[in-house]
Amino acid sequence: QVQLVESGGGLVQAGGSLRLSCAASGRTFSNYAMGWFRQAPGKEREFVATINWSGRSTVYADSVKGRFTISRDNAKNTVYLQMNSLKPEDTAVYYCAADRSVMVHTTSTSYDYWGQGTQVTVSS
């Protein structure tokens, strides 16, 4: 079992930045690929970014490429999402998730554990 707790969400103006953190506890963090997803009101949960166990492989949704950066610190059992140049359409609840696979995946059904989410609101 892996427990995930997100933090760092909040209200920011368009063009601003936020850094989300996801602290993991339980099984060995470095065994898991990690992902960030988001869900806006009335919309389905969508993929944002993922990183493999070593941090050497990352994948981003086209909508955030060049603005968001996913990273991890296995010594701290934490994965991060640095979000720059935020837009109102980035407003959503952001979730981190853990995947026991050695591959990176962009589909939510591939992930085994989920956090409770953190709200990000970008004002125009």
Side-chain angles (χ1 to χ4, degrees), residues 6 8 10 26 29 31 33-34 38 43 45-46 48 51 53 69 87 106 114:
E6 302 96 335
F29 176 72
N31 288 347
M34 298 297 295
R38 66 187 182 186
K43 295 188 176 181
R45 190 169 298 189
E46 66 173 0
V48 175
I51 188 167
W53 68 274
T69 302
K87 304 175 181 180
T106 61
W114 293 83

Side-chain angles (χ1 to χ4, degrees), residues 50-107:
T50 184
I51 188 167
N52 77 330
W53 68 274
S54 68
R56 293 192 182 97
S57 178
T58 58
V59 179
Y60 296 91
D62 288 343
S63 59
V64 306
K65 203 172 292 183
R67 300 188 298 122
F68 290 11
T69 302
I70 188 171
S71 62
R72 67 189 296 162
D73 185 338
N74 287 342
K76 295 183 178 180
N77 289 357
T78 302
V79 62
Y80 304 97
L81 185 69
Q82 177 67 43
M83 306 186 294
N84 298 328
S85 303
L86 283 161
K87 304 175 181 180
E89 50 264 44
D90 294 318
T91 295
V93 177
Y94 283 71
Y95 299 89
C96 75
D99 176 5
R100 287 175 290 189
S101 172
V102 296
M103 307 279 291
V104 290
H105 294 106
T106 61
T107 54

